[in-house]
Amino acid sequence: SGLEAMNIFNENVESLEFLEMTAEDIEQEPVLYITGPNIVRDTNRLGLTITSILGLATSWYLSIYPFLLNDAIGKRVDQELELLDASMQPDLTWLTDLSFPLFVTFIGLQLVHELAHRAVAGANGVKLSVPTFVPSLITGVTS
């Protein structure tokens, strides 16, 4: 188990020589790996599109979630959703109106971030693939 592995590591940690190594102990010169400007993987457009759609969806979720943590807003949402039990249509457009500016801000920041990648890559002659919004339930979207 993980606990057993940690115990074994802790018992033997003093005998590990690499922990006491310094830069002077290393006989080999440092290696710097440099690539050319044309290192771009083949893209899977369908997979990247689906990933970006999920990334945008998690950003939308992230923009709504903080409002649901507010007790008053949470109760109002619950009241609207109770209408579903009565076969009535709930109206949550007010929640969309609250969360949309936050969503646009998140996406705007992400787009500026991606444009900065493009600018630096272009200045250095590096080709980039299409940016992909990667879904994250914690932060909404990452790239």
Side-chain angles (χ1 to χ4, degrees):
S1 75
L3 184 58
E4 292 169 341
M6 286 182 57
N7 288 334
I8 292 170
F9 178 80
N10 288 335
E11 290 169 5
N12 297 307
V13 74
E14 287 91 21
S15 66
L16 298 175
E17 294 178 13
F18 71 88
L19 294 175
E20 298 175 9
M21 291 178 68
T22 64
E24 292 81 28
D25 296 331
I26 300 174
E27 296 175 13
Q28 182 180 358
E29 290 293 318
V31 176
L32 177 61
Y33 184 70
I34 300 175
T35 65
N38 58 351
I39 287 196
V40 177
R41 66 176 183 249
D42 292 334
T43 58
N44 174 354
R45 291 194 183 272
L46 178 63
L48 294 178
T49 301
I50 291 171
T51 301
S52 288
I53 290 170
L54 290 172
L56 292 172
T58 56
S59 291
W60 183 249
Y61 161 80
L62 179 67
S63 64
I64 291 176
Y65 188 71
F67 294 106
L68 298 178
L69 294 176
N70 180 298
D71 289 336
I73 292 175
K75 287 178 184 176
R76 186 171 172 192
V77 168
D78 287 341
Q79 290 171 351
E80 289 290 335
L81 293 178
E82 287 173 1
L83 294 175
L84 289 172
D85 293 335
S87 298
M88 297 174 65
Q89 185 67 30
D91 180 21
L92 295 173
T93 55
W94 58 272
L95 185 58
T96 301
D97 293 340
L98 280 176
S99 60
F100 188 73
L102 190 56
F103 173 73
V104 170
T105 302
F106 287 148
I107 297 303
L109 287 171
Q110 192 64 35
L111 288 174
V112 168
H113 173 91
E114 292 302 325
L115 288 173
H117 281 293
R118 289 263 174 217
V120 171
N124 292 301
V126 177
K127 291 171 50 178
L128 296 178
S129 61
V130 177
T132 303
F133 295 115
V134 179
S136 170
L137 293 178
I138 297 171
T139 59
V141 68
T142 61
S143 67

